Amino acid sequence: VMQIAIYGDAPERTLKELAERVKDDLTTTDEISFVRISGLRPYEVSIEIDRGTLQKYDLSLPQVAGLVRRASLDLPGGSIETGSEEILLRTKGQNYTQRDFEEIVLLSRPDGTQIRLGDVAEVKDSFQDVDLVTRFNGERAAFIKIFRTADELSHIPISDPTRPY
């Protein structure tokens, strides 16, 4: 239906965060249910844990990986159809930033103390190392693409029928 360019002399992270905010704002409206961001590299988070630290806390790498995976979900949950529309469901809980991952609780002790991922690991967030630079008017850019589903065809006018073109 539409494509929006967010561009300027700004770091890639700033453009990505702004694009995510715009996407979230657009998808909260009743008329728009499917929005995709393009033109930016995907986030990449690396987590490095020393073997001695794992042993100290009686943890294994598969245990830590499972805890991180469960704490970072963004899954489609299907849809609900009403008489006039289809509502798309999704769980929101995916971690995106270094800080989000550092706050994941790995262990809770009987005395109430918690061991978080950031306490035992070095967490780095950046972008995947791929050759992707998108520009608009000579500046780094992110694109927000707005699509319509079959149910939305009746809600969004394609053209003005009173115009001759």
Side-chain angles (χ1 to χ4, degrees):
V1 172
M2 182 185 303
Q3 182 168 271
I4 300 168
I6 298 175
Y7 67 98
D9 184 19
E12 187 173 14
R13 181 172 305 279
T14 300
L15 290 174
K16 185 156 186 119
E17 289 170 359
L18 181 57
E20 290 287 348
R21 267 190 279 158
V22 171
K23 176 185 172 186
D24 290 346
D25 288 348
L26 288 170
T27 55
T28 60
T29 67
D30 292 336
E31 294 82 17
I32 299 171
S33 63
F34 186 55
V35 178
R36 179 178 291 151
I37 296 172
S38 66
L40 294 171
R41 297 179 297 164
Y43 281 130
E44 178 176 79
V45 175
S46 67
I47 301 169
E48 298 176 15
I49 305 174
D50 179 71
R51 184 182 317 217
T53 303
L54 286 172
Q55 291 171 347
K56 176 182 174 184
Y57 291 101
D58 196 28
L59 290 168
S60 69
L61 203 49
Q63 283 176 306
V64 173
L67 291 165
V68 169
R69 190 176 304 110
R70 283 190 294 279
S72 182
L73 294 175
D74 187 8
L75 300 171
S79 62
I80 298 173
E81 291 187 32
T82 67
S84 62
E85 64 185 344
E86 180 180 23
I87 301 167
L88 302 175
L89 303 174
R90 151 167 235 99
T91 63
K92 293 293 278 180
Q94 185 167 356
N95 292 305
Y96 288 103
T97 68
Q98 174 181 348
R99 186 74 162 136
D100 292 339
F101 281 94
E102 288 174 339
E103 293 299 315
I104 295 172
V105 175
L106 298 179
L107 295 172
S108 294
R109 294 191 169 150
D111 66 358
T113 59
Q114 294 181 326
I115 306 299
R116 299 179 189 279
L117 185 61
D119 298 330
V120 300
E122 183 178 349
V123 180
K124 299 176 189 172
D125 70 345
S126 59
F127 290 92
Q128 285 184 6
D129 188 18
V130 294
D131 292 333
L132 175 65
V133 178
T134 305
R135 300 217 177 268
F136 184 81
N137 285 345
E139 301 280 353
R140 181 185 296 274
F143 291 96
I144 300 169
K145 296 179 181 182
I146 303 168
F147 298 88
R148 67 175 161 224
T149 64
D151 291 348
E152 293 168 339
L153 290 174
S154 61
H155 302 297
I156 301 172
I158 295 172
S159 65
D160 182 351
T162 63
R163 296 200 177 195
Y165 53 94

